[in-house]
Amino acid sequence: MNKRFFAILIVALLFVCNSALAWSGLTHNAICHIADQHLTEEAKAKRNHYLRHTLAYYASWQDEVAWSKEYAETRFWHAVQYDAKNRFQYRDGRNAITHISRIWNDMRNGGYKRLDDSTIIVNLKLLVHMVGDMHCPTHSYVPGPRCFWPCTLNGKKYKAFHGLYDKMPQLIHKGKKDNQIAEELDVLKKGQIKKIVKGDLHEWVHQVGSDNKVIYEWNPHNTPVLKDNTIELSTELVNKQMQYAGYRLAYLLNKYFGK
């Protein structure tokens, strides 16, 4: 085995390992498809100018670069965490909301005009992923042991409870494509969406964390064999979080680039 092939193999293996700790590409793509449908014309024009593609094209970019030297720190920007009093934990900036907030402060209401194009492009690529990840049930950690215990659901073994929920949209929407899932979920009216995007980023995170804790009521920490109806129990929550992520991503982009 030559050195070049070995290096490529290592990178590929690292990417596979890293991807196992995030919403699936299918999920991120569906969230981005929802967001794309709710961009203003100005935001669409800026998206095309800076990214040259749809949002879904870059939905998993953060996962793909996380093991590179340049973007190694982004490995820690996929989740949020709370203490026993349901207070957000900053973890020295190693969380998604800190960097979503940073991008928000840098780019909102035309602030992006002060930034160079390369910074804007990286911000957008990170944003489309982090907004999705912060809504994932096992990316908003609650007090107690984290969600990485091995478990079994309906006879199928999973290396981690976390990984099961990363794949949960695929189990719920079995056999469907990302655009089909987006079409099924993108059914809320303007008034409903307005309520979803109301408030600031920290209010969003608090709501996400509060909602997601229910998965540990269905299956408490370290439960080896999960309830047979876990997928059915999770369907409403997971679909809701995908919807909210899509609408909130669109809201942020619209605020960055105009009306």
Side-chain angles (χ1 to χ4, degrees):
M1 183 181 296
N2 63 48
K3 291 182 178 180
R4 184 172 180 274
F5 179 81
F6 183 74
I8 293 172
L9 178 61
I10 291 297
V11 170
L13 288 173
L14 287 173
F15 172 63
V16 169
C17 292
N18 187 59
S19 297
L21 300 179
W23 281 114
S24 68
L26 177 85
T27 310
H28 278 292
N29 287 357
I31 289 169
C32 286
H33 285 314
I34 293 173
D36 260 329
Q37 296 303 311
H38 295 271
L39 297 181
T40 62
E41 290 304 314
E42 187 171 3
K44 288 179 182 177
K46 294 299 182 183
R47 175 206 62 195
N48 292 338
H49 172 74
Y50 290 111
L51 296 181
R52 310 290 184 184
H53 294 283
T54 64
L55 298 178
Y57 186 87
Y58 293 104
S60 297
W61 180 84
Q62 188 176 345
D63 282 337
E64 295 166 5
V65 302
W67 294 93
S68 67
K69 184 177 181 180
E70 183 179 5
Y71 295 103
E73 182 63 20
T74 67
R75 273 177 269 169
F76 306 100
W77 301 356
H78 295 264
V80 294
Q81 190 171 0
Y82 302 85
D83 66 10
K85 295 183 179 180
N86 206 31
R87 295 174 300 193
F88 175 65
Q89 301 297 289
Y90 284 89
R91 299 177 66 236
D92 297 321
R94 289 188 163 190
N95 61 80
I97 196 62
T98 290
H99 297 281
I100 296 174
S101 296
R102 172 182 57 78
I103 295 170
W104 166 258
N105 291 330
D106 286 348
M107 294 184 62
R108 63 176 174 160
N109 298 326
Y112 73 94
K113 296 175 183 177
R114 299 189 297 268
L115 305 176
D116 59 77
D117 284 5
S118 60
T119 299
I120 294 171
I121 291 168
V122 170
N123 279 348
L124 293 176
K125 290 178 180 179
L126 289 170
L127 189 76
V128 298
H129 192 84
M130 290 190 296
V131 172
D133 264 358
M134 67 172 264
H135 287 78
C136 178
T138 46
H139 280 244
S140 54
Y141 298 126
V142 296
R146 288 196 176 184
C147 46
F148 293 101
W149 74 87
C151 58
T152 300
L153 175 61
N154 298 327
K156 181 175 175 57
K157 294 182 179 180
Y158 292 87
K159 292 182 178 179
F161 185 72
H162 185 126
L164 167 64
Y165 269 92
D166 285 343
K167 296 176 181 177
M168 188 61 75
Q170 293 170 270
L171 300 177
I172 293 170
H173 298 281
K174 194 171 182 180
K176 296 177 184 176
K177 296 181 179 179
D178 47 24
N179 60 322
Q180 293 175 315
I181 297 172
E183 187 175 352
E184 288 184 12
L185 297 181
D186 186 15
V187 294
L188 301 188
K189 297 179 179 179
K190 288 184 178 180
Q192 294 172 298
I193 296 172
K194 188 174 181 180
K195 290 181 180 179
I196 291 169
V197 302
K198 185 179 180 180
D200 61 27
L201 291 167
H202 288 276
E203 289 177 293
W204 293 356
V205 173
H206 188 272
Q207 171 262 311
V208 169
S210 297
D211 288 351
N212 285 342
K213 286 194 292 186
V214 71
I215 67 174
Y216 301 103
E217 296 175 11
W218 301 330
N219 293 292
H221 283 99
N222 297 319
T223 299
V225 180
L226 308 183
K227 290 183 177 178
D228 291 343
N229 64 338
T230 294
I231 296 174
E232 289 76 13
L233 289 171
S234 303
T235 297
E236 182 178 355
L237 173 67
V238 169
N239 284 343
K240 172 185 174 180
Q241 299 297 31
M242 292 173 68
Q243 281 180 324
Y244 279 35
Y247 295 136
R248 286 169 173 170
L249 176 57
Y251 174 82
L252 293 176
L253 294 173
N254 289 338
K255 284 292 184 180
Y256 296 158
F257 296 127
K259 296 179 181 179

